[in-house]
Amino acid sequence: MAKPNPPDERPLDVVVVGATGNIGTGLIRALGADPRIGSILGLARRVPDWAPPKTRWLSYDVGAGRPDELAEHFRGAAAVVHLAWLFQPTHDPVTTWRTNVLGSLRVFEAAATARVPALVYSSSVGAYSPGPKDRAVSEEWPTHGWPEAAYPREKAYVERALDSFERDHPDLRVVRMRPGFVFQRSAAPEQRRLFAGPFVPGRLVRPGVVPVVPNLPGLRFQVLHTDDAAAAFAQAVLRPVRGAFNIAADPVVDAHLLGKVLGARVVRVPAAVATAAVSALWRLHLVPATPGLLRTVLRVPVMDTGRAAAELDWVPRYSSVQALGELLRGLRDPVGAPTPPLAGSVAGGRFGELATGVGERP
């Protein structure tokens, strides 16, 4: 249960950059329910028709907006949480670099200019260098990513930028959250659009219908529910912590667990065959995810979440199986959420998705 503020402490004002996406919507809910939070300013490229408690919205594009304007939005805030990130277009990496890297640098410098006391940045398991699958690594594992894909490459670059930023601004409390794959039912339509594309029959993703699950070498990864990720981010805002935190739920997901969840047979498939198939589909603009992203998943380490448990008092409420269940329900019944990124469908439906070029636009 959230603790109320002591009588001599005023409620905190928080700015959330990229507040309309998967983690952002969860964090808005978590902060809005906490009596220690006075107000929330949600920044997003597209302002939603959603009115959660304590929240006001402002349109701002971190990839193109003016830095001085951003600093003005941050003034007086107790913390800035930076979540904004573009996964697409994978066929135009300059666009993702402009938002993800240059936009992140703009957020960090604006936080320093506005003298914000705390900056919480959403990094990722994808920032980690290739690591072991048979044991869990701490936050000390190198964060050099996997250079073949834009996502880990950009996450790793921002980690290096934060190293310098922390050194130059020792009075600003910097927290790096490194979640596994984050799922909630309302985010499933967006995640299908971002990674699988318009040809995946979401309504058929149900136990007993999917015939096989490919067992690829290295297919072992971690997931968690959006509400659990949001709870960890909220604690990073509220507690006087610094540094990196791994967050993920148990059990670790592998092909056998996926087979059990889907009621499907597990079939051993060489990684080269799977990546060649994804490469061909991506080059044909049939799927938006790149083969490099698949290779990243097969190389990310298993994370130890002990530091989050000890310093954030964080224990996930949902298991990885429950989080996967939310994803599958959201694929079968794509209700979405009342924000533009999490909309249940886009204009024109799946034909509209095809018209965007599949991986050619944000």
Side-chain angles (χ1 to χ4, degrees), residues 202-207 325 327-334:
R203 295 184 183 276
L204 299 182
V205 183
R206 62 181 69 246
L327 171 68
L328 296 178
R329 282 191 290 274
L331 290 173
R332 294 194 298 268
D333 185 14

Side-chain angles (χ1 to χ4, degrees), residues 7 16 52 63 110 118 159 172 205 273:
V16 181
E159 289 267 359
L172 199 162
V205 183
V273 172

Side-chain angles (χ1 to χ4, degrees), residues 129-183:
S129 302
K133 301 285 190 175
D134 58 349
R135 61 183 177 87
V137 304
S138 75
E139 289 83 358
E140 298 302 315
W141 193 260
T143 51
H144 301 307
W146 177 250
E148 188 180 355
Y151 177 77
R153 190 167 61 239
E154 292 164 355
K155 286 292 185 185
Y157 190 99
V158 176
E159 289 267 359
R160 298 291 71 74
L162 267 183
D163 292 342
S164 299
F165 181 81
E166 282 189 284
R167 180 200 63 210
D168 296 340
H169 302 90
D171 294 334
L172 199 162
R173 181 172 66 86
V174 177
V175 185
R176 314 178 196 207
M177 307 299 288
R178 295 178 185 152
F181 299 93
V182 182
F183 300 134

Side-chain angles (χ1 to χ4, degrees), residues 253-278:
V253 178
D254 60 15
H256 296 285
L257 180 64
L258 290 173
K260 184 176 180 180
V261 169
L262 290 168
R265 187 163 59 95
V266 176
V267 176
R268 185 79 172 176
V269 175
V273 172
T275 53
V278 173

Side-chain angles (χ1 to χ4, degrees), residues 13-38:
D13 300 326
V14 179
V15 180
V16 181
V17 183
T20 55
N22 182 14
I23 296 177
T25 53
L27 181 58
I28 293 291
R29 293 192 298 265
L31 293 176
D34 196 304
R36 292 167 290 182
I37 302 300

